[in-house]
Amino acid sequence: MATTRGERRTRGAGPVSAEQIEQEAIRLFAEKTYPVIGMRDIADAVGLLPGSLYVHISGKEDVLLRIVEKGIQNYLDAIGRAADSHESASDRLRAAFAAHFEVLSRTPEQTRVAFFQWTYLSPAKRGRVIAMRQRYEDLFVDIVRDGVRTGEFRQLRSPRVTVLAFIGMLNNATEWFHPDGELTALEVANELAETALRGIQA
Amino acid sequence: MATTRGERRTRGAGPVSAEQIEQEAIRLFAEKTYPVIGMRDIADAVGLLPGSLYVHISGKEDVLLRIVEKGIQNYLDAIGRAADSHESASDRLRAAFAAHFEVLSRTPEQTRVAFFQWTYLSPAKRGRVIAMRQRYEDLFVDIVRDGVRTGEFRQLRSPRVTVLAFIGMLNNATEWFHPDGELTALEVANELAETALRGIQA
DNA sequence: CCTACCGATCGGTAGG
DNA sequence: CCTACCGATCGGTAGG
């Protein structure tokens, strides 16, 4: 029941920064989830005593908020670039899938926290996160609607449900994709984009 | 920060059963997740004092285990029947999607707990759950492999990745599907099965 | 950045 | 099923 806490960092390894605290928090939250990680676990990981964390951060929830916001922003940036080109809807969807897996392979732990643990934020802090998630969803909605409009994609009975299914597929890949697995991020992205596109092309 | 606890049940509404405790726990875990729900919350919901819960249950984790195991079993039963017929692989995949959404629409909260909160079980109790999840996955793997073997589906570069994507799509639907939404469970299942099948058919 | 500590809350139990 | 309570742990702070 009691978690064995890791050893303290060796002293003299330099002063601790808020950035380092976030990095260790990402690792711990991704491994065990936010509510079961204590400030004492984070303190152990960076080699401070619990109270000393508050020199660098303002509170536990604030650490989570920063991790989540930056984590989603990584996806908005990468997929935003992919969705912005003047290529066909098919090529933009392919590029969006590739961008998604590229970010996932670069930040797998932060992705787990950002996609699945933002729900632990108090209502007051959720607003911006929900808006960011909406923008992320809209990037895909726009591509699919575009393709349907130009006739590149077939008339879907419910474009929204289809997009939610695609996004769910991508989000859930966080649970099984390993950056150092048999297939590279690009290979997995291409495989899934191929199936998704065949599924909706006219 | 502090959760306002619900009121106690009116006394005299009959004795409490383990079944009722599980039902309230499903509701609360689905709403807020296992670690942030206290035994005091569950006690309030069923109208007992915290200590009295232990007349009916042996511990918090045991309640979670039962919810998770029954929750997954619902899917194994329904999808197992769908996957067992002598129809084509396409029809069996369609039936499996329909069965999935039928169970989801019947037990949305238990699904949320079973699919996403089994990770809070201690390693000792995870074994059976992981085995059940594997059987669930294999039901889909078998259908897809079958279809590829008979030439009904195209040669996939990675059948496993494709199946994981389909399952991820279904699992993630737990987050957006509403039983009383615009589309029925069967309509959503058909829409997604259509796209998935077009994606992999030869 | 540490020492020392706060009030609150946790899952669970003894004894009736 | 309640009364009364246990030891452990939680996020966070005062004062240096």
Side-chain angles (χ1 to χ4, degrees), chain A residues 1 33 35-36 120 154 156-158 161-162 164-166 168-169 172 176 183 191-192 194-195 198-200, chain B residues 33 35-36 61 120 154 156-158 161-162 164-166 168-169 171-172 176 183 191-192 194-195 198-200:
Chain A
M1 206 109 271
T33 78
V36 309
Y120 293 114
R154 64 187 171 85
L156 298 159
R157 246 168 301 178
S158 174
V161 162
T162 302
L164 286 170
F166 286 175
M169 205 175 79
N172 194 269
W176 54 262
L183 299 180
E191 175 85 347
L192 298 191
E194 167 106 12
T195 297
R198 284 177 184 247
I200 63 173
Chain B
T33 79
V36 310
E61 201 185 352
Y120 294 112
R154 64 186 170 86
L156 298 160
R157 246 168 302 178
S158 174
V161 162
T162 302
L164 286 171
F166 287 175
M169 204 174 79
N171 283 4
N172 193 270
W176 54 262
L183 300 180
E191 174 84 346
L192 298 192
E194 167 107 10
T195 297
R198 284 178 184 246
I200 63 173

Side-chain angles (χ1 to χ4, degrees), chain B residues 25-40:
Chain B
I26 286 172
R27 210 174 43 77
L28 292 164
F29 293 167
E31 188 191 348
K32 299 250 213 182
T33 79
Y34 177 78
V36 310
I37 295 297
M39 297 310 280
R40 286 154 180 85

Side-chain angles (χ1 to χ4, degrees), chain B residues 56-68:
Chain B
H56 304 101
I57 61 160
S58 64
K60 189 189 181 190
E61 201 185 352
D62 189 59
V63 173
L64 177 61
L65 180 62
R66 285 165 190 276
I67 293 169
V68 168

Side-chain angles (χ1 to χ4, degrees), chain B:
Chain B
M1 207 110 265
T3 324
T4 316
R5 300 195 198 278
E7 289 306 309
R8 301 267 290 280
R9 240 184 9 141
T10 322
R11 301 302 181 83
V16 166
S17 65
E19 180 61 30
Q20 275 171 63
I21 292 173
E22 276 177 36
Q23 287 308 313
E24 294 300 325
I26 286 172
R27 210 174 43 77
L28 292 164
F29 293 167
E31 188 191 348
K32 299 250 213 182
T33 79
Y34 177 78
V36 310
I37 295 297
M39 297 310 280
R40 286 154 180 85
D41 297 311
I42 298 172
D44 278 347
V46 296
L48 295 183
L49 289 177
S52 305
L53 289 173
Y54 293 84
V55 174
H56 304 101
I57 61 160
S58 64
K60 189 189 181 190
E61 201 185 352
D62 189 59
V63 173
L64 177 61
L65 180 62
R66 285 165 190 276
I67 293 169
V68 168
E69 286 192 335
K70 289 183 201 164
I72 301 178
Q73 190 61 49
N74 289 337
Y75 283 87
L76 289 177
D77 292 344
I79 296 177
R81 277 191 298 272
D84 233 17
S85 79
H86 292 247
E87 322 244 10
S88 68
S90 293
D91 282 346
R92 278 180 284 150
L93 195 64
R94 250 188 282 271
F97 273 46
H100 182 99
F101 276 96
E102 191 275 321
V103 177
L104 177 57
S105 70
R106 226 176 49 218
T107 60
E109 293 178 321
Q110 185 156 10
T111 300
R112 254 197 287 284
V113 179
F115 284 6
F116 301 121
Q117 299 186 39
W118 62 272
T119 48
Y120 294 112
L121 292 168
S122 58
K125 302 201 172 177
R126 281 192 202 184
R128 287 222 303 271
V129 173
I130 290 174
M132 293 178 82
R133 287 173 58 87
Q134 188 59 57
R135 267 186 284 151
Y136 169 86
E137 190 177 317
D138 287 343
L139 288 172
F140 288 92
V141 169
D142 289 347
I143 295 174
V144 169
R145 280 208 202 293
D146 237 45
V148 171
R149 193 172 39 73
T150 64
E152 195 177 338
F153 298 158
R154 64 186 170 86
Q155 287 291 336
L156 298 160
R157 246 168 302 178
S158 174
R160 192 180 145 269
V161 162
T162 302
V163 167
L164 286 171
F166 287 175
I167 290 177
M169 204 174 79
L170 294 174
N171 283 4
N172 193 270
T174 312
E175 305 278 299
W176 54 262
F177 175 73
H178 298 289
D180 49 351
E182 210 179 318
L183 300 180
T184 67
L186 188 56
E187 285 170 337
V188 172
N190 284 341
E191 174 84 346
L192 298 192
E194 167 107 10
T195 297
L197 282 172
R198 284 178 184 246
I200 63 173
Q201 271 164 347

Side-chain angles (χ1 to χ4, degrees), chain A residues 115-185:
Chain A
F115 284 7
F116 301 121
Q117 300 187 38
W118 62 273
T119 49
Y120 293 114
L121 292 168
S122 58
K125 303 201 174 179
R126 280 192 202 185
R128 287 222 304 268
V129 172
I130 290 174
M132 291 177 83
R133 286 173 59 88
Q134 189 58 58
R135 266 186 284 152
Y136 169 86
E137 190 177 316
D138 287 343
L139 288 172
F140 288 93
V141 170
D142 289 347
I143 295 174
V144 170
R145 280 208 201 294
D146 237 46
V148 171
R149 193 171 41 73
T150 64
E152 195 177 337
F153 299 157
R154 64 187 171 85
Q155 286 293 335
L156 298 159
R157 246 168 301 178
S158 174
R160 192 181 145 270
V161 162
T162 302
V163 167
L164 286 170
F166 286 175
I167 289 176
M169 205 175 79
L170 294 174
N171 283 5
N172 194 269
T174 312
E175 305 280 299
W176 54 262
F177 175 73
H178 297 289
D180 49 350
E182 209 179 318
L183 299 180
T184 66

Side-chain angles (χ1 to χ4, degrees), chain A residues 79-95:
Chain A
I79 297 177
R81 276 192 298 273
D84 233 20
S85 80
H86 292 248
E87 322 244 9
S88 68
S90 294
D91 281 346
R92 276 179 285 152
L93 195 65
R94 249 188 282 272

